[in-house]
Amino acid sequence: MDDWKSRKMPEGLKPKGRPVGSTELAWCRAVLSGTGITVLVLQASKRPEISNLRNALHKLQNSHPILRSKLHYSAATNSFSFVVPSVSHLQIEAFDLSSTHRIFQNTSATSIAPLQKVLEHELNVNPWSTRAAGSEMEVNVLFASVYEIKDAKWVLALRLHTAACDRATAVGLLRELKALMGGADQREVWSEGGINMGIEDLIPDGQAKKPIWAHGLDTLSYSLRSLRLTNLEVINAGGPRFSQVVRLQLGRHETQHILEGCKSRKIKLCGVLAAAGIMAGNSWRRSATSHRKKKFGVVTLIDCRPLLEPELSARHFGFYNSAILNTVVAGGGEGLWDLASRCYATFARSKSNNKHFTDMADLNFLMCKAIENPSLTPSSSLRTSLITVFEDTVIEQSGDGRQEEEVGGVEDYIGCASVHGVGTSLAVFDTVRDGRLDCACVYPTPVHSREQMEALVEKMKKVLVEGGY
């Protein structure tokens, strides 16, 4: 068994504060326009005890200093850094029923559940976008709010800067918060002691090595290839942008059948979700007379913690994801499993060639260039490809009833990140919860409409259900 209590970073690798790394810097630039806000929302049947919640969050901030840090921008050096104050200043913002109702009046969708309305509201609250030219800035990376909603229920929302919180961090944060609110002692929670180094400084020697000329060629290759990718129809590339969410859920039997199909073919669920997205997107782009093959861009995010040196565990908070961008050719006549196997094989080859490390700088550079020059993307939409998936699926099983009751009767929760500044048309945050597939599918609007994306996700669901057999 992994003795995680003994797996601590050497003290020399845990600064109290530090400049952001290259990948983190890309998120700092992206979040100004609306990509890179991570949100967790939990719906509860009991009002959270604010003092208990505040104490639990402060304990988490003490155990994981990056959650206590402030993102500091220096106008003099045009640089960002994490600064860790000695004491947490986190305040929990509370909204009563009338305040929540006023917030909901600003949403265009009346049919979605209150939990999802809170999620969409939080995805579009951006405290990191107010930096004025030539000014200093210092903002928390973590914010907490409690919303009262109808039927005597409440929603707890945690909003984080993605530079300090990838999906593994969000999952770990949720688990540790529930444990602390359920009565666990702080000594039972992993303690890091300081902010760990950025991902670039932990890549094993030689695995990210690439000659300068190769960087140039690959950057050019990615740029030219993106011009030939097939994208979803852009509804409106102008005007203020927001992130919205469509939820894709399958039953236990349907989920089990898909997971068994993945196991028998030795592929991961990310390949199936990517294939379903491509098949759904392709059905929208096909005409009655055209059956030619099209190229689709698929971004797969990898949790690099086990691949770093020294190796990190999921209990090391921060951003340690890397992306692999692949092109998948589809003609519309493929079956789900054939295309899923091809999607996964393409990704696996790229990973075996260390593309997640060697191309990290190239993709960060292109991300920033797209933000600065929207005209480089289709219809100036800032869309870089069709779909984002995660290599590994989050597996969740309900805790015992006593802990859930002390937490406040948690009934449902969703976690995802915003994408409306720059990114793919659809980002899929997948979880298998108590044997059921539950995906938060995030998209930018008005680049894409809610009706368009609800139809796309419904088509994905149909592909998964019918094609999985």
Side-chain angles (χ1 to χ4, degrees), residues 422-440:
V422 61
T424 56
S425 288
L426 192 69
V428 181
F429 296 78
D430 59 316
T431 302
V432 174
R433 188 181 307 168
D434 294 328
R436 299 179 176 90
L437 180 63
D438 188 352
C439 301

Side-chain angles (χ1 to χ4, degrees), residues 328-371:
V328 178
V329 178
E334 302 89 350
L336 174 65
W337 288 114
D338 289 340
L339 186 56
S341 297
R342 194 146 48 83
C343 286
Y344 185 74
T346 301
F347 158 73
R349 282 195 301 272
S350 296
K351 185 180 178 183
S352 67
N353 291 327
N354 286 330
K355 286 283 190 179
H356 50 297
F357 289 145
T358 60
D359 291 10
M360 185 183 295
D362 303 334
L363 293 177
N364 286 338
F365 173 79
L366 289 171
M367 178 181 182
C368 293
K369 284 301 176 185
I371 295 170

Side-chain angles (χ1 to χ4, degrees), residues 3 70 105 127 191 263 337 369 418:
D3 183 10
K70 293 177 178 288
Q105 286 180 322
S191 182
K263 184 177 180 180
W337 288 114
K369 284 301 176 185
S418 60

Side-chain angles (χ1 to χ4, degrees), residues 37-50 53 91-107 113-127 143-160 408-409 411-412 414:
I37 301 171
T38 299
V39 176
L40 287 168
V41 289
L42 299 87
Q43 181 173 303
S45 59
K46 291 172 55 180
R47 186 182 190 278
E49 176 56 51
I50 297 297
L53 174 60
Q91 298 296 321
I92 300 173
E93 194 169 7
F95 298 91
D96 60 19
L97 191 59
S98 60
S99 299
T100 303
H101 179 69
R102 285 194 296 272
I103 291 172
F104 286 175
Q105 286 180 322
N106 295 325
T107 180
L115 178 67
Q116 189 172 325
K117 290 182 180 180
V118 173
L119 173 65
E120 291 188 359
H121 171 70
E122 286 282 331
L123 285 172
N124 297 293
V125 176
N126 192 342
F143 295 84
S145 302
V146 174
Y147 296 81
E148 183 181 1
I149 60 176
K150 65 180 183 179
D151 300 327
K153 297 183 187 296
W154 285 262
V155 174
L156 165 63
L158 301 178
R159 182 182 350 113
L160 302 100
E411 300 174 330
D412 196 7
I414 312 174

